[in-house]
Amino acid sequence: MKRIVRVVGRVAVASSVAVGAVVAGTGFWVAGVSEAHAQRASSIVVRGNQRVDAETVRSYFTGGPLDQARIDEGIRGLYASGLFSDVRVSRSGGGIVVSVSENQVINRVAFEGNSKVKDAVLAAEVQSKPRGPFNPAIVQADTQRISEIYRRSGRYEASVEPKTIAQPNGRVDLVFEIKEGGKTNIGSINFEGNQAYSDGTLRDQMTTTESNWLSWLKTSDVYDPDRINADLELIRRFYLNHGYADFRVVSANADLNRETNAFTINIVVDEGQQYRFGAVNVESSVPEIDASTLQRRVVSSSGSVYSAQDVDKSVEAISLELASRGYAFAQVRPRGDRNLEGRSINLTYVVEEGARVYVERINVRGNTRTRDYVVRREFDLGEGDAYNQIFIDRAERRLKALGFFKNVRISTEPGSSPDRVIVNVDVEDQPTGEFSIAGGYSTSDGIIGEVALGERNFLGRGQYARIAAQLGQNVQGFDFSFTEPYFLGSRVSAGIDLYAKERDETDYSSYRINTYGGGLRFGFPVTEEITIGTRYQIYQQDLRVPGRYDIRNSDGTLNDDRASVALLEAEGKTLTSLAGLSLIYNTLDNPRDPRSGIYAELKGDLAGIGGDVKFARATFDTRYYQSLYWDDLVGIARVQGGHIAAWGKDDLRVLDHFSGGPDLVRGFEPQGFGPRDVGTGNPAIGSPNDDPLGGTTYFGGSLEAQFPIYGLPKELGLKGAVFADAGTVFGYEGITDYRGIEVNDRDSKKIRSSIGASLLWTSPLGPIRFDFAKVLSKEKYDETQVFRFSGGTRF
């Protein structure tokens, strides 16, 4: 029990034995109560109460015989209510007298000395509230909570002292005086026992980082025991995914140096030996299931390095196959047999009949903004369905991937019967709105700025909406996008896009073009990796050639023009209406910074469903990512290509051709290679025809290796890269004659190639890339570009 100094003073904490002593002492007051009085007192008199109603006090002693046990229980209950600082019971005639001293009422709760943690954050954590009773035990607990908040933010020197200021009418002001102290950083993270991977590689697996000159920008360099434990699990998963099935963390200690106010984290590991997959088989104890038919669902392959991730993927794939066949209760259990001499693990996926357990109820808790159905639709099972842990784990991954929630935790509890289970989904909403002001520069579009407003969880319905406006040196426009990820309640995404863009002439194009249009799109997931997309677009393009000069011969034919005659023929407004189909295969481990996996997209478009142009177009783009010698060295292999052809009577417009540029082979200007009109021009007006025409076919390949820059902290977001590109664009099939002038095109299938180096910066203000390229092969009329910079900032 705590006593409060009436004026300004410290909150004193008495011994925890005090309450028990009072209860025990009360026994002496009532020890003389006769048997008759012990059965039930004729009246209960309450004294000393001012704000609490007497009936409320009496309720703690009613409901049964008023014996010693009932009195002791009532006293404990009154203390536990937090309303009273003292409770005493005595006998008066035939009744019981309960004398109470009420706790003071908190007038206000204030925080002084805090600057790193806002008042609103602290007020949300403390249990002492204005207009509530002043309870010394709760105040002490609040003091500990505030101290814990500062420890979580890396300030272990912080001290908190509660004080009270007496006010009239039994009220007090509660003030928490805080001395924040300096930030307690992590000086170093050291590993012992690691042979296969360096300390730096293991530190890169952790979310906790060492302090450096960027510490003023980050909070990951403060000691958090929970985060350290999560990091140890990340390290364990890293080793398991690289074949070290016997890996274990021997110990992890954090030592605080009071002189430097910094922690040293020492982690001792036992790597064990690296294993490979031996024989990989599927066995079934369920008579109706043929194990051989499930073998194709196995991801892990014999001879490859053992990976726990591949095992998990195989278990999930087999479980989903069984569920699709109607075996809802079948369970898949991986069984590994180590061959220590051969350093291999023979793996068997055992299919067996599981317990028949059904989902009784799914409770969604903690969502204050996101609608319940947004959470529930991520489950492949519902109330009444067979319980399957694979589906539960899958739903948890999906919910975390949404980005709507700060925390996601799924747990279970027994249902109303042994074959029923209740699934509890606890989530915590986080902000999903996005407002950005961006600016940047690219060598093709010049200086450009953008203002965008987006919402990833629109009205808590899980919908995505974004509107943006661009204003730049050579380009202006806006775009609007809206996506419903579950169209008509099914796992089909539907979206609408509207856009308008006006692009002026640049060093790379001698024309102006305005584009206005929109489209509809739908996405149909086939599996977790495969998606089929359909789309329809309709847009109008208005092409203008500024400063046209018509110089005619004596016979009236056009002699020359400022731009290519192919562009002049395309001048004016054109409406394009097209439908498209896409097939996407995606196994990337991380969409933002992939280190392994494949992203492949095959697209087909057919224009001519109305409109002014008719063509068929097919393109593909495949990228393969793989960690090389060490985990931070990532190799990227890319292959892309496409073909377009006109159908009907009209020629293919110059704007619909493919153009060669830095997206295909770095080292060339936008539209820098491929078929080109290289007319002689008219010296009288100084306007040579030298415009790119584009081609109907392109293909190219690229090899790139990305790596961290030694000596720089990874939080800086800088990486280096080296690359080699090769590709070509050819097959111009547009007009060859316009108003008496022929297109003097140069069309070559020659492979253009380049090598170079890049600097990549994933900065807090946006992604930026610098490319330096040296062209190895080209045609003499190609336009090259040694340096290219692209990117932008967000603030």
Side-chain angles (χ1 to χ4, degrees), residues 59 70 101 249 484 501 530 598:
S59 65
R70 172 69 60 180
S101 296
V249 176
E484 168 55 68
K501 182 172 288 187
I530 299 175
I598 297 174

Side-chain angles (χ1 to χ4, degrees), residues 1-4 11-14 19 77-85 103-106 109 111 122-147 160-164 174-176:
M1 184 176 67
K2 305 173 185 175
R3 301 285 184 183
I4 310 302
V11 178
V13 183
V19 173
L78 289 174
Y79 276 115
S81 69
L83 299 173
F84 306 100
S85 59
N103 272 328
Q104 296 169 302
V105 174
I106 298 174
V109 178
F111 306 94
L122 299 176
E125 290 293 328
V126 299
Q127 301 300 309
S128 299
K129 303 295 183 183
R131 296 181 299 278
F134 178 88
N135 189 316
I138 294 178
V139 171
Q140 189 63 25
D142 289 340
T143 303
Q144 295 298 323
R145 288 190 185 93
I146 296 173
S147 297
V160 183
E161 185 176 0
K163 292 185 177 181
T164 59
L174 176 59
V175 180
F176 292 96

Side-chain angles (χ1 to χ4, degrees), residues 439-448 662-663 666 670 758-763 765-772 785 787-793:
Y441 173 81
S442 71
T443 49
S444 58
D445 292 331
I447 299 173
I448 187 171
D663 291 335
R666 283 162 283 197
S758 303
L759 181 65
L760 295 78
W761 185 21
T762 308
S763 73
L765 304 178
I768 300 176
R769 180 175 183 129
F770 304 87
D771 291 320
F772 302 85
Q785 183 184 69
F787 168 71
R788 178 175 173 82
F789 159 63
S790 61
T793 58

Side-chain angles (χ1 to χ4, degrees), residues 2 11 20 25 31 70 112 207 216 290 353 412 463 573 583 588 611 635 650 668 679 740:
K2 305 173 185 175
V11 178
R70 172 69 60 180
E112 294 182 357
T207 58
W216 63 280
D290 182 5
E353 188 69 28
T412 60
Q463 300 162 335
K573 295 181 180 180
L583 178 64
L588 298 182
D650 296 332
F668 290 87

